[in-house]
Structure formats: C-alpha cells, structure tokens
C-alpha cells in the first residue's frame, strides 16, 4: 500500500486498524460474515496493507459492529487517506463482494455505500475503474 508515500496524522498501525474496522463493517453489514469474505479480508489486510496477521485474526475474533461507529471510522479515513488510497480500499471491498455467488445487487449497494462513506463520488468512471458492472 501507499502508506509510506504520504504524511498522515495517524501512525501506520492506527491506519491499519481503521482500514481493518472499515472492512469488517462492510463484511458484517448484513449481520454475518461469510468465511470466504473473511479469507479475502485477511489476505487484503496482511498482503496489501502489511497488517500483522495476529492483529487481523484478533480483530476478526473480537469484532462487534456495535462497538465502533462506521461514520467515525470513515471520517478518519477520509481525513487521513488520499483519494488514490480510498479508491484502492473500494477495489478491496469489491474483491470481497465478488466472493458472493449469484447476483451482486446487495454487494453493489454495499460498494456504493462504502464509496459515499469514503467521500468518493459514484460515477461511471469509478465503475469502470473498479469493474463494478458485471454481466449478471
């Protein structure tokens, strides 16, 4: 990820924690987390964001969406991540959504909700960049 290229008001660990919680909120938005979704979350956080695997596992095991505010997390991400990193986070969310079998209607809604939270306007350019539109 690009963490080292930009000056943030937060430490790398704090950013990793925010991104982790944001992804977890997205996965748990329907009240449950699918094992395939969690597998992608682990891969994204450890590979792309260089998060300590033990921290990721601990976050998954203890995550409770009622204990943290998605709006507060999104506010901090908008403040501390440049647009390019927020778009990458949307790509990661879409990769998680693609684990769903069948029509992706709910997942598209989730994607656009995440885009709004991250302050990224949803437009045709964004859809083409992330390949949100599918043949389903």
């Amino acid at each position: 990820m690009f963490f080292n290229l930009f000056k943030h008001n937060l430490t790398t660990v704090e950013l990793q924690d925010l991104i982790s919680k944001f992804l977890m909120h997205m996965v748990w938005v329907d009240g449950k987390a699918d094992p395939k979704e969690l597998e992608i979350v682990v891969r994204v956080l450890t590979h792309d964001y260089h998060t300590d695997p033990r921290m990721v596992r601990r976050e998954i095991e203890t995550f409770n969406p009622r204990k943290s505010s998605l709006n507060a997390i999104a506010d901090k991400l908008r403040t501390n991540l440049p647009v390019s990193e927020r778009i990458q986070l949307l790509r990661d969310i879409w990769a998680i959504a693609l684990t769903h079998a069948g029509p992706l209607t709910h997942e598209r809604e989730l994607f656009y909700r995440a885009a709004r939270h991250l302050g990224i306007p949803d437009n045709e350019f964004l859809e083409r960049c992330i390949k949100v539109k599918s043949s389903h």
Side-chain angles (χ1 to χ4, degrees), residues 46-121:
T46 57
H47 181 265
D48 296 348
Y49 297 97
H50 309 290
T51 307
D52 179 347
R54 291 173 300 204
M55 182 179 146
V56 174
R57 294 287 179 203
R58 190 169 43 250
E59 184 73 34
I60 288 171
E61 291 169 6
T62 62
F63 183 74
N64 181 342
R66 291 180 293 256
K67 289 188 177 183
S68 62
S69 164
L70 178 59
N71 290 331
I73 292 166
D75 288 345
K76 287 181 182 177
L77 289 173
R78 278 192 313 274
T79 301
N80 289 281
L81 292 179
V83 172
S84 60
E85 289 185 40
R86 288 181 274 145
I87 289 173
Q88 180 58 49
L89 189 51
L90 285 175
R91 284 186 180 111
D92 297 333
I93 289 167
W94 190 242
I96 294 165
L98 289 175
T99 64
H100 177 75
L104 296 171
T105 306
H106 177 72
E107 287 72 18
R108 278 192 192 91
E109 291 172 15
L110 173 67
F111 173 84
Y112 291 120
R113 179 179 175 199
R116 285 189 300 276
H117 275 294
L118 294 173
I120 306 294

